């Protein structure tokens, strides 16, 4: 599924368009659900996993993107549906 979070193919954080990585907002065991439901965003290498400001190392950024994902999902679904899917409430 296409991202439900982002229309533009650019880094979500700095908006650059070079060397983008596809990041699964809910990763680990939830990676497949992210892929299926469109919880994906584009990030440049720096904001993904190639520096300490990357989402995989910066807990705050990670939570911020997860909250954004939940917020967008809840435009068309209930909170209960989100929690059933992801197992947690981030908002
Ligand atoms: Zn970036
Ligand atoms: Zn990632």
């Amino acid at each position: 599924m296409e991202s439900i979070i982002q229309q533009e193919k650019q880094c979500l954080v700095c908006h650059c368009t070079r060397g983008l990585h596809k990041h699964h907002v809910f990763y680990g065991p939830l990676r497949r659900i992210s892929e299926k439901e469109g919880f994906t965003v584009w990030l440049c290498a720096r904001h993904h996993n190639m520096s300490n400001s990357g989402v995989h190392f910066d807990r705050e950024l990670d939570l911020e993107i997860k909250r954004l994902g939940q917020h967008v999902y809840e435009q068309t679904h209930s909170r209960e549906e989100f929690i059933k899917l992801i197992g947690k409430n981030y908002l």
Side-chain angles (χ1 to χ4, degrees), residues 11 13-16 43-44 46-47:
C11 175
V13 180
C14 70
H15 310 296
C16 77
L43 293 169
C44 70
R46 185 162 79 90
H47 288 118

Side-chain angles (χ1 to χ4, degrees), residues 35-51:
E35 182 67 37
K36 183 164 174 282
E37 301 291 335
F39 290 119
T40 55
V41 293
W42 294 105
L43 293 169
C44 70
R46 185 162 79 90
H47 288 118
H48 188 227
N49 57 10
M50 300 297 277
S51 83

Side-chain angles (χ1 to χ4, degrees), residues 6-31:
Q6 224 183 2
Q7 275 78 50
E8 301 286 318
K9 191 171 177 179
Q10 60 183 21
C11 175
L12 186 71
V13 180
C14 70
H15 310 296
C16 77
T17 54
R18 292 207 309 185
L20 296 173
H21 298 183
K22 186 181 185 177
H23 170 67
H24 292 77
V25 174
F26 305 101
Y27 44 85
L30 296 172
R31 194 177 194 276

